[in-house]
């Protein structure tokens, strides 16, 4: 099994981003599930727009190329909105054809207003790590289920 982690941070390389740090929990969990992980860092917010092009691509069986692939979301920030971001990105990934398992997300959110970022405080990390480990486990389990019983090509 192979996982691709797209880090859509706003920080340029090589600076460590908050999202990088939290995604590391998920990567570690996936690796414990014997998943090979590749990481790509995108310093852009156009990832979903570019992925829309996948809608017209199909595999040899006529399925959209995102079928039988799972996806999840990691969010960090200093203000409200983590659930909104997770739902918007998950919905867009589902539209493209990805399967979104339950609890396939984790987030860290300090709350509204200014305050420290993820890398500047330990507050809330335990909960974020716990949900990140659950995310990794659920993504791997769903990917195995789809490998054993793939979604068929659309009929008609």
């Amino acid at each position: 099994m192979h996982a691709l982690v797209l880090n859509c941070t706003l920080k340029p390389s090589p600076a460590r981003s908050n999202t990088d740090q939290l995604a590391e929990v998920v990567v570690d969990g996936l690796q414990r599930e014997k998943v090979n992980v590749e990481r790509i860092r995108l310093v852009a917010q156009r990832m979903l727009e570019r992925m829309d092009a996948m809608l017209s691509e199909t595999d040899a069986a006529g399925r959209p190329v995102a079928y039988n692939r799972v996806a999840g979301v990691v969010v960090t920030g200093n203000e409200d909105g983590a659930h909104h971001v997770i739902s918007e990105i998950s919905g867009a990934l589902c539209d493209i054809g990805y399967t979104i398992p339950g609890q396939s997300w984790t987030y860290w959110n300090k709350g509204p207003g200014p305050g420290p970022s993820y890398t500047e405080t330990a507050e809330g990390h335990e909960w974020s790590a716990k949900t990140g480990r659950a995310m990794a486990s659920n993504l791997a389990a769903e990917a195995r289920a789809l490998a054993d019983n793939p979604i068929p090509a659309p009929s008609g």
Side-chain angles (χ1 to χ4, degrees):
M1 217 180 320
H2 182 79
L4 176 62
V5 174
L6 298 176
N7 180 355
C8 299
T9 184
L10 298 177
K11 291 185 180 174
S13 293
R16 286 285 282 180
S17 73
N18 295 306
T19 305
D20 236 0
Q21 300 258 335
L22 183 52
E24 186 68 32
V25 173
V26 179
V27 168
D28 289 345
L30 289 169
Q31 290 173 333
R32 278 195 298 280
E33 295 283 340
K34 309 279 190 270
V35 176
N36 296 320
V37 179
E38 178 183 354
R39 301 172 201 214
I40 297 176
R41 188 170 180 153
L42 307 172
V43 187
Q45 297 177 345
R46 295 189 179 126
M47 181 262 311
L48 289 173
E49 292 172 16
R50 302 230 193 278
M51 290 178 81
D52 272 347
M54 294 170 63
L55 288 169
S56 61
E57 296 180 39
T58 57
D59 66 12
R63 294 177 291 228
V65 294
Y67 271 36
N68 300 309
R69 297 172 188 258
V70 298
V73 181
V74 174
V75 176
T76 57
N78 286 349
E79 58 190 57
D80 290 332
H83 280 271
H84 176 73
V85 170
I86 290 165
S87 66
E88 290 293 319
I89 294 173
S90 295
L93 291 167
C94 188
D95 285 346
I96 296 167
Y98 286 91
T99 297
I100 311 297
Q103 182 55 69
S104 60
W105 50 264
T106 188
Y107 70 90
W108 179 84
N109 191 320
K110 180 66 174 110
S117 62
Y118 182 81
T119 58
E120 297 171 331
T121 182
E123 186 179 342
H125 285 216
E126 183 178 324
W127 181 87
S128 296
K130 180 180 176 183
T131 57
R133 288 188 296 272
M135 172 186 178
S137 178
N138 292 349
L139 287 168
E142 187 71 24
R144 287 187 191 101
L146 286 169
D148 291 343
N149 191 15
I151 298 170
S155 61

